Amino acid sequence: MAPEQTNGNDAALAPHTGQFGHLTPEQEKTFADFKAVCEKEDVFSESNEGRSVGRTKRERLDDAALLRFLRARKFEVPGALKQLKDTELWRDTNRLDELYDGFDVDAFEEARKVYHQWTGRRDRSGHPVYVYEISHIKDNIAAFDRSSKIVSTNNTASATDPIPGKLRMLCALYENMAEFVLPLCNAVPGRPNPETPVTATSHIVDVSGMGLMGYWNLKSHMQAASVLASTYYPETLDRVFLIGAPSFFPTVWSWIKRWFDPATTAKLFVLSASEVTPTLTRFMRPEDLPKKYGGELDWGYGMAPSLDTELAALLKRPAAEGGGEGGNGLEKGKWVRGPLRWVPDTDGARGAKIVARGTVGGKPRDEVVGVFTPRKA
């Protein structure tokens, strides 16, 4: 069930329809109409509780973000507007910015033990590559249980309900993706299809070692996580490569298809053992693929991200730390733990600072750990 190539073109590099630079005239008009409606409905206004520390709401809801909501609703403006409004209400009600910026650094790292992890690398299209080894939920069940008890156990799906405790850590990781990883990957000069913003991720999901009951026991969590992603972070998933599927997986797949929306399952590719390396290396450079899956990258689940050469070249240490051209505060071995934000400069120079947030010992952290200076491709 590996993804097929189309018309002889490499599917890994083919631009996606419905993306900037590849919109049809009708889609361009629909986007203009949608943006005008958003202005009229005042969706960009700041609430007292919804202000992003790093970016204003208008900066966060840029054209790329608006297009994600429109694509999620198949370019149907009323539906996209409702989903966007519901998302902003959900963010404001649950104080997502405060949640992320005030997240305990140790708890954030604990969450990484049981959820998807960024390798620090990108696929051939420029999307950040995440790895999720499902067995680690079982191996780190204590951490998973702690994440489940942090906040309210209210599981009612409503825009105005508190975030269920078991998903609060997952929300923090999604915020990290949206507030740091995607902006960083988008800033790489010379990346493929530069006319199209990087707004989605690629995932390797390793289900090796999971028994039949293991899938069933994770049912409610997987359903809730799917709703969270598709409702409040729409169109941030490009592809999912599922590997290590057991012989009984056809039975499991009949369940899973009902747990996720059709748009998500359409992006999932189940790879047999013989398909793993040839398929993944078609979509990812060998040096960006972990050795466990047939690549050359010396990275394992639980390790800090290992930035590729292009990403590392974007950053330099703040001058106060002795940084300069070629320096890098986030290079391998010096990764900063906890929540990070990409904070755009306000002087119009299109630069940005990498700011470490979160709390350490109950004390808030606000430290510039990297600086991005735009460079020509």
Side-chain angles (χ1 to χ4, degrees), residues 147-154 163-169:
S147 73
S148 300
K149 297 175 181 177
I150 288 181
V151 293
S152 169
T153 57
N154 185 350
I163 302 172
K166 64 183 178 181
L167 293 180
R168 180 156 285 211
M169 284 189 171

Side-chain angles (χ1 to χ4, degrees), residues 265-342:
T265 57
K267 299 174 182 178
L268 191 150
F269 304 98
V270 182
L271 305 182
S272 66
S274 62
E275 292 174 323
V276 171
T277 299
T279 299
L280 293 181
T281 52
R282 181 156 62 88
F283 284 83
M284 304 164 198
R285 298 179 301 183
E287 59 266 33
D288 296 324
L289 178 65
K291 290 180 178 179
K292 181 176 181 178
Y293 306 117
E296 302 170 359
L297 178 62
D298 187 15
W299 181 91
Y301 197 80
M303 294 176 63
S306 174
L307 296 183
D308 63 43
T309 303
E310 292 90 347
L311 289 172
L314 290 178
L315 305 172
K316 60 183 180 181
R317 288 191 301 272
E321 297 181 10
E325 288 298 326
N328 172 23
L330 296 176
E331 63 194 6
K332 185 177 181 181
K334 296 184 179 180
W335 187 257
V336 179
R337 301 168 70 246
L340 298 172
R341 278 193 184 275
W342 176 275

